[in-house]
Amino acid sequence: MTTTPPNDGLQPRALRALAHPVRIRLLSELRSEGPATASALAEVTGEAVSLISYHLRQLSKHGFIEEAPELAKDARERWWRVREQMTSWSSATFLATEEGRAADTAVKQEILQLHHERLSGFLNQQQTWTDEWVDAAVTDDYMLNLDSAGLHQLHDELATVIRRFQERKPARPASSERVQLLLYAFPVTRRHEQQP
């Protein structure tokens, strides 16, 4: 999560192009692990190198990633890196058109699926982790009474704490593991009628 201002230049077509499980996974891997080749990403995802290369080109075409030629050992090797560590957009703006609604929903559904797979994977493999890691992992949920301003404030304060942990030095202590922090906050009931 971040309080980075939404990318006003992000178009529904680009967002829709991101709405693919392999592309979401590739972007996530490049953001968390840094630049990589299609071959390395194929190993991580279990997909064919040719398929990964195609999806990397699509991500590049829509401005999510770019080539990193300075990392190549020879002219045949192609490295890729993210252009931004975060992709954000104003859902309210995208919901104004049918194309925008479809893109916004499709991407969020793919992200949710990836999150579900990762959490399920951990739950199914808990016995392979140490007791310290199992006890440290959380699947908490809270129900709060907030207005939209309060929800914005909550997000901003949580993002501040998260950034503090992201900026700690060293960034990756020897005892660290990749930890996924998921934060969803959304209204579940409509207590008041929407005003036109």
Side-chain angles (χ1 to χ4, degrees):
M1 294 306 245
T2 182
T3 54
T4 302
N7 181 348
D8 293 330
L10 187 62
Q11 297 298 311
R13 174 177 283 163
L15 193 60
R16 185 73 176 159
L18 184 58
H20 188 285
V22 173
R23 293 178 197 164
I24 292 287
R25 178 93 188 269
L26 292 174
L27 194 56
S28 176
E29 286 296 324
L30 289 170
R31 283 183 172 154
S32 64
E33 296 302 315
T37 62
S39 298
L41 291 165
E43 283 186 37
V44 171
T45 62
E47 301 287 350
V49 174
S50 58
L51 181 67
I52 295 300
S53 293
Y54 169 76
H55 286 302
L56 288 170
R57 288 192 304 274
Q58 291 303 305
L59 287 170
S60 176
K61 175 182 172 182
H62 293 284
F64 295 104
I65 66 172
E66 63 189 7
E67 286 193 59
E70 71 279 3
L71 299 175
K73 295 176 188 155
D74 57 51
R76 294 180 306 133
E77 191 176 62
R78 290 178 81 179
W79 283 76
W80 299 91
R81 67 174 160 238
V82 295
R83 293 186 67 206
E84 301 287 339
Q85 274 303 117
M86 188 69 170
T87 302
S88 60
W89 63 92
S90 167
S91 289
T93 300
F94 273 74
L95 296 179
T97 66
E98 186 174 334
E99 182 186 22
R101 282 191 299 277
D104 180 79
T105 301
V107 169
K108 288 179 180 174
Q109 291 287 1
E110 290 300 336
I111 292 169
L112 180 61
Q113 182 62 35
L114 177 61
H115 292 170
H116 177 265
E117 289 170 10
R118 287 181 175 165
L119 179 55
S120 293
F122 169 74
L123 294 176
N124 291 329
Q125 298 294 319
Q126 286 183 89
Q127 71 281 2
T128 67
W129 290 90
T130 64
D131 290 347
E132 290 81 7
W133 276 109
V134 172
D135 286 341
V138 295
T139 53
D140 294 343
D141 70 291
Y142 305 90
M143 194 65 75
L144 307 171
N145 290 311
L146 300 171
D147 59 14
S148 59
L151 184 53
H152 276 292
Q153 181 183 355
L154 175 64
H155 174 255
D156 289 346
E157 290 183 26
L158 290 172
T160 298
V161 172
I162 292 165
R163 273 195 303 277
R164 201 168 63 234
F165 278 83
Q166 287 175 325
E167 295 165 359
R168 287 193 319 185
K169 303 294 180 206
R172 288 198 173 185
S175 62
S176 72
E177 297 287 351
R178 284 175 59 194
V179 172
Q180 174 115 44
L181 174 63
L182 304 177
L183 177 61
Y184 295 103
F186 50 90
V188 293
T189 59
R190 187 184 305 273
R191 293 184 176 170
H192 307 285
E193 288 299 317
Q194 292 274 350
Q195 297 299 318

